[in-house]
Amino acid sequence: MPCFAILPLYAIITGYFEVLMKIDLHSHTLCSDGVLSPADLVARAVERDVNALAITDHDTVAGLAAAQQAIDELQLPLTLINGVEISTSWQQQEIHIVGLNINPHCPTLLSRLAIQQQRRFERAEEMARRLAKNQIPDVLPAVLALANGAAVTRTHFARHLVDIGQASSMNNVFKKYLGRGKIGYVPNNWVDFAEAIQWIQDANGVAVLAHPLKYKLNGKWLRRLVEQFAEAGGDAIEVISPQQTPVQKRELCALAQLHGLTASVGSDFHQVTTWNDLGKNLYLSDDVPTVWASWPQIPASPQV
C-alpha cells in the first residue's frame, strides 16, 4: 500500500511525527528554458513545501551556484541536489538523461557540456535558416536575445514564434513548425545516450531516464528503451511526473524493477501551469527502491 496513504493515520495512532518528505528531482531555470531565476525557483520550491529539489537545466550547470547561494543567504529549508539534463540520441530519437548528485565542478563534465552547447547553437542556426527560407526571417537574433546567454532550446524558438504571432500557443508551434517533419525541424545532433550516461557517472552522479512517456513510444519501443538504458549502465527511471495516471505509474515502476533500476520523481518544471508545479503529485509507493535512498543529504524519511 502506498506510504502516503497509510502514514498519516499511523502517525496519529502511534505518535510518530517524522516529517514527510516532498522531493522533486527535475526542474529548470532561465539558465536553460525555464522562466524563473535560480533564486526564484528555490523560493517557489519552499512555497510549495518541497524539501529536496534538483535543478536539472539542459546541458548546463550554470544555475546551481546561484540557487545554493540563495538557499544559504535566506536560510531556506530546502536541500539542493546538483543536477543536469543531457540531450541524447537513441535510435534517431531525442532522449533526455538527467544526471543527479553530480559534481558540478568536474572539469571533464564541464568540457563535455560545452560541446553540447556548441551543438545546440549549430542546431539553432540551422533551424533559423529553415524558418527564414519559409518567410519567417530574423529568428536567430531574437531567440538568442530571449535566451540571454542561457542554453538555447526549441522552447526559446517556440516562445518567439508565439510572440510574433506565428502561432497561438507553444504546442501549436511544435505542431506547425518545430515538430518532426515540419519546416523548422532539424534532426538532433546530440551525444549517444550510452555516452551521456558515462558522462554523468564520471562526474560522480547517477543517470536517470527522464520522463519516459513523453517520447510517445509504443509499448514495445518503450520496453526496448528501458532495457537498453539499463544495459548501457543507467541507474534509474523517472517513474512519477505530475500528469501520469495510476496505471502508467505502476507500469513504469514495474519496468524499473524488472531491469534493476531505482525510481526517481520529477515535475520537469519550467513554469507554473494549471497542470504542473514543483512537487505536484510526485507520490511513490513504499515498495519501490528510490534513487535517493543512499544520499546522506536526504534523510530516510517517508515521502509525501
Side-chain angles (χ1 to χ4, degrees):
M1 183 178 292
C3 63
F4 66 87
I6 65 173
L7 194 63
L9 178 60
Y10 178 74
I12 292 170
I13 294 173
T14 66
Y16 178 74
F17 293 111
E18 185 175 8
V19 175
L20 299 176
M21 297 290 292
K22 182 180 281 190
I23 296 168
D24 190 337
L25 299 179
H26 190 163
S27 68
H28 297 274
T29 76
L30 51 67
C31 292
S32 62
D33 55 351
V35 300
L36 299 181
S37 69
D40 288 340
L41 183 71
V42 296
R44 177 71 185 176
V46 172
E47 289 175 10
R48 293 281 300 160
D49 297 320
V50 173
N51 304 103
L53 177 73
I55 292 179
T56 54
D57 280 316
H58 292 285
D59 300 313
T60 183
V61 295
L64 296 176
Q68 188 62 61
Q69 181 179 356
I71 290 170
D72 293 342
E73 290 181 352
L74 299 174
Q75 297 185 322
L76 298 178
L78 179 69
T79 297
L80 179 67
I81 304 300
N82 291 321
V84 67
E85 185 172 12
I86 300 177
S87 297
T88 77
S89 180
W90 173 80
Q91 300 286 341
Q92 300 182 324
Q93 174 89 23
E94 182 171 325
I95 301 295
H96 292 177
I97 309 297
V98 164
L100 297 176
N101 230 8
I102 60 168
N103 172 8
H105 307 294
C106 174
T108 304
L109 177 65
L110 294 176
S111 66
R112 288 165 168 172
L113 293 180
I115 294 172
Q116 284 284 91
Q117 294 289 355
Q118 180 60 32
R119 287 173 172 156
R120 282 190 172 277
F121 181 74
E122 291 169 358
R123 190 188 192 197
E125 285 184 312
E126 179 59 19
M127 289 168 64
R129 188 191 69 79
R130 295 187 184 192
L131 290 169
K133 194 174 179 180
N134 286 273
Q135 287 72 55
I136 308 178
D138 304 320
V139 171
L140 187 60
V143 166
L144 293 177
L146 194 60
N148 193 30
V152 181
T153 71
R154 289 191 299 169
T155 301
H156 294 112
F157 277 82
R159 287 175 183 158
H160 172 65
L161 292 176
V162 170
D163 288 345
I164 63 175
Q166 289 290 336
S168 59
S169 68
M170 301 276 284
N171 285 340
N172 187 249
V173 170
F174 284 92
K175 290 178 181 178
K176 190 174 181 181
Y177 296 109
L178 302 182
R180 186 181 294 271
K182 304 304 179 182
I183 60 173
Y185 177 77
V186 176
N188 73 71
N189 55 350
W190 308 133
V191 63
D192 179 78
F193 91 142
E195 189 174 349
I197 290 170
Q198 190 63 54
W199 289 8
I200 290 164
Q201 294 170 346
D202 286 346
N204 300 322
V206 294
V208 182
L209 178 61
H211 44 61
L213 299 184
K214 284 191 176 181
Y215 309 120
K216 308 298 183 184
L217 301 173
N218 63 29
K220 172 185 175 181
W221 279 98
L222 177 60
R223 291 190 295 272
R224 184 174 297 178
L225 169 63
V226 175
E227 179 183 12
Q228 293 187 10
F229 175 79
E231 289 174 349
D235 300 295
I237 307 177
E238 207 168 82
V239 299
I240 307 293
S241 59
Q243 290 184 281
Q244 287 173 334
T245 67
V247 171
Q248 289 171 328
K249 293 176 183 180
R250 286 196 297 271
E251 289 175 347
L252 289 176
C253 285
L255 276 176
Q257 291 175 316
L258 176 65
H259 294 287
L261 301 168
T262 56
S264 186
V265 298
S267 62
D268 193 15
F269 177 85
H270 291 75
Q271 62 186 33
V272 178
T273 66
T274 56
W275 62 86
N276 196 6
D277 206 339
L278 290 169
K280 185 173 182 178
N281 296 336
L282 302 183
Y283 305 128
L284 262 179
S285 59
D286 57 2
D287 59 346
V288 182
T290 64
V291 70
W292 63 84
S294 62
W295 297 353
Q297 65 268 52
I298 299 183
S301 304
Q303 188 195 2
V304 173

